[in-house]
Amino acid sequence: MSKVLGIIAEYNPFHNGHLYHLEEAKKKVDPDYTVCVISGNFVQRGDSSLIDKWSKAEMALACGVDLVIEIPTVYAISSAENFARGSIKLLESLSDDVTLCFGSETGEIDVLQQFAEVLCENPPEYVSLLSHELERGISYPKARENALLMYLNDIRKFANVLSGSNNILGIEYLRAIKEMNSKVVGTTIKRISVADNSLETANGYASATGIRHMLKNEESVKEFLPEVSYNILHEQLKYGKIVTDLSVFEKELLYALRRMSVEEIAEIADVTEGLENRIKEACNSCNTLEELMSLIKTKRYTQTRIQRVLLYSLLNITKKDIEESYKVKPYLRVLGFNTAGKRLLSEMNLSKKNVITSVKRFMDTNKNKQLKNMLEKDILASNIYTLGYGYDSKANLDYTQKMIVV
């Protein structure tokens, strides 16, 4: 049985910290194959990817990954919980021996496991604490953080764990593994040098957020990326194929919301508690994305959640789509592979696992309506994403773009 190292990533873009994590994960797991499942053209924070999914796949393969699989859009831009569940479903389809190695601020898998177990078991005392915190009118993530810390009641051990975004995702991966009774094994590598979302740099390391910030300010990022990764990024820059953030699509977002009725907005994923009325009123009285978000924002809704709602509206992802994503076993959409990755694909029963190497063939032959609907969202996401290019904004790249083969 082949031993697979699984990595879940956005690679937005692939930088020196990612390379460090990849190399350390290989040392730790000693796999036969390394497979990365990556977000496509839009990402989990409710934002656009800096570069397209094929360029990200090319970076990963050039830096040592064997096979790159796309996380379907409906998972990739979803909440941390659904993002994690979708990603774990993909990894467990690869082999019966998969070890997920993720980056975390703590680097201590046992600590993260304790949080995951509370979330899986939902003990009455924790549920009561969570309800009390929500009654204070704060956002769900903050209420959950407060309730977990009070329940675990060990400030010294757990105080800063939930302030790390990688820790939070790691907890969701471990929770998904446990709840799904998955054979995937979780382990972690401690992040080094620069915090996630930080704009600081240190010793050739910068966060993906920092790199995107530097690019917007036309600063050099060369020292923070592996050479091959930088060359791919530079090529995309040269041809105007960089999408800096969601604001690039502000007119498309406003159009989408203005053409929708209040009832249609209410069906968009993550819209609850009458937020549809607030969104409709806001979109009719503003002209920029920044204005729109400031008018919608409440204590209950974080900026990330609002951006995710806006992205759902742009891609027409409804509550029903999210509900179906929980039930279905997703396809494995191959973005690229090297010689070893090709060998792993040959070991798998491709038809039974719904492996997609040709979008057209899959759309023509697959009879599963849920999977077709999910893939249609990926195709739409690509078609909208290219509208953000400086020029050469072609549609239907999912049909015409070849897989990346190294």
Side-chain angles (χ1 to χ4, degrees):
M1 184 191 302
S2 296
K3 188 177 187 180
V4 175
L5 163 63
I7 292 174
I8 302 168
E10 289 182 345
Y11 289 161
N12 189 26
F14 189 107
H15 54 65
N16 290 339
H18 293 134
L19 183 62
Y20 169 82
H21 170 257
L22 176 60
E23 291 175 344
E24 291 300 305
K26 283 185 175 184
K27 290 178 191 174
K28 189 168 191 173
V29 177
D30 190 26
D32 298 309
Y33 303 104
T34 300
V35 179
C36 186
V37 297
I38 66 169
S39 303
N41 293 326
F42 294 94
V43 297
Q44 200 265 330
R45 294 179 179 88
D47 211 341
S48 63
S49 178
L50 181 71
I51 52 177
D52 70 78
K53 57 194 179 187
W54 294 282
S55 298
K56 294 194 291 187
E58 188 177 359
M59 288 179 174
L61 292 166
C63 292
V65 172
D66 297 320
L67 176 65
V68 181
I69 303 291
E70 179 184 2
I71 303 171
T73 304
V74 72
Y75 297 118
I77 65 171
S78 193
S79 65
E81 178 187 354
N82 204 29
F83 175 88
R85 289 181 71 88
S87 301
I88 296 300
K89 285 179 185 178
L90 295 174
L91 289 180
E92 68 178 9
S93 295
L94 298 168
S95 169
D96 288 335
D97 186 2
V98 179
T99 299
L100 163 65
C101 187
F102 57 88
S104 66
E105 288 82 4
T106 179
E108 297 180 43
I109 195 71
D110 292 344
V111 169
L112 301 177
Q113 284 281 17
Q114 285 182 262
F115 281 101
E117 284 168 13
V118 175
L119 294 174
C120 284
E121 294 163 9
N122 262 330
E125 186 183 344
Y126 163 70
V127 173
S128 176
L129 289 167
L130 178 60
S131 297
H132 180 266
E133 290 301 300
L134 287 170
E135 286 168 6
R136 295 171 53 205
I138 59 178
S139 68
Y140 181 81
K142 188 63 183 174
R144 191 176 77 161
E145 177 183 344
N146 293 347
L148 282 168
L149 291 175
M150 284 187 282
Y151 178 79
L152 290 168
N153 195 27
D154 189 337
I155 298 298
R156 182 176 295 180
K157 186 175 183 180
F158 300 114
N160 298 315
V161 174
L162 294 175
S163 61
S165 57
N166 289 276
N167 286 344
I168 292 169
L169 264 180
I171 291 166
E172 291 296 347
Y173 296 146
L174 298 172
R175 176 188 179 186
I177 289 169
K178 189 174 178 65
E179 287 182 343
M180 293 161 58
N181 196 25
S182 173
K183 292 180 181 178
V184 174
V185 175
T187 188
T188 189
I189 300 286
K190 185 176 174 64
R191 279 183 67 97
I192 59 169
S193 292
V194 180
D196 195 29
N197 299 325
S198 171
L199 299 183
E200 297 178 0
T201 62
N203 306 316
Y205 290 99
S207 70
T209 301
I211 290 167
R212 295 193 299 272
H213 182 78
M214 284 184 268
L215 285 169
K216 283 183 78 171
N217 293 328
E218 299 184 354
E219 299 172 28
S220 173
V221 298
K222 191 171 185 177
E223 68 175 295
F224 307 112
L225 281 73
E227 184 179 0
V228 66
S229 187
Y230 175 78
N231 290 340
I232 294 166
L233 176 63
H234 186 264
E235 191 77 1
Q236 298 304 102
L237 271 168
K238 186 169 74 172
Y239 290 105
K241 295 183 178 180
I242 293 288
V243 182
T244 51
D245 55 43
L246 199 61
S247 66
V248 171
F249 304 102
E250 64 184 4
K251 297 304 181 192
E252 289 87 348
L253 280 163
L254 286 167
Y255 167 75
L257 291 169
R258 286 187 179 186
R259 71 181 292 274
M260 294 168 74
S261 67
V262 172
E263 291 75 21
E264 286 172 325
I265 295 174
E267 291 305 309
I268 291 296
D270 248 12
V271 174
T272 58
E273 301 169 326
L275 188 68
E276 62 272 16
N277 297 303
R278 196 176 182 93
I279 292 173
K280 191 62 178 176
E281 186 178 338
C283 76
N284 286 336
S285 58
C286 65
N287 201 40
T288 67
L289 182 63
E290 188 176 352
E291 283 180 278
L292 180 64
M293 288 198 294
S294 67
L295 288 171
I296 297 171
K297 195 172 182 182
T298 69
K299 283 184 180 179
R300 284 270 192 185
Y301 283 78
T302 63
Q303 181 170 321
T304 296
R305 187 173 175 186
I306 292 170
Q307 284 191 197
R308 197 178 293 132
V309 166
L310 296 178
L311 195 45
Y312 285 147
S313 68
L314 186 64
L315 301 177
N316 193 29
I317 293 175
T318 64
K319 292 183 172 81
K320 184 181 178 183
D321 294 323
I322 298 296
E323 287 167 10
E324 286 187 352
S325 75
Y326 271 88
K327 302 169 189 173
V328 74
K329 188 164 188 174
Y331 45 76
L332 292 168
R333 167 76 187 282
V334 179
L335 293 178
F337 52 81
N338 63 13
T339 305
K342 185 177 181 181
R343 194 162 57 247
L344 174 60
L345 286 171
S346 70
E347 292 179 13
M348 297 162 59
N349 188 328
L350 302 192
S351 59
K352 283 190 176 180
K353 296 191 177 181
N354 286 312
V355 176
I356 300 177
T357 54
S358 165
V359 168
K360 185 179 187 307
R361 190 187 310 126
F362 185 85
M363 293 299 280
D364 288 346
T365 61
N366 194 280
K367 305 301 181 186
N368 188 309
K369 289 182 180 179
Q370 290 175 311
L371 292 183
K372 277 191 171 183
N373 178 60
M374 190 178 278
L375 186 56
E376 283 169 358
K377 302 297 182 188
D378 296 347
I379 295 166
L380 176 62
S382 295
N383 290 346
I384 289 176
Y385 181 80
T386 58
L387 292 174
Y389 288 174
Y391 44 90
D392 199 24
S393 301
K394 294 178 181 176
N396 293 323
L397 292 184
D398 287 279
Y399 289 99
T400 59
Q401 176 72 42
K402 294 179 180 179
M403 287 185 294
I404 308 299
V405 179
V406 177

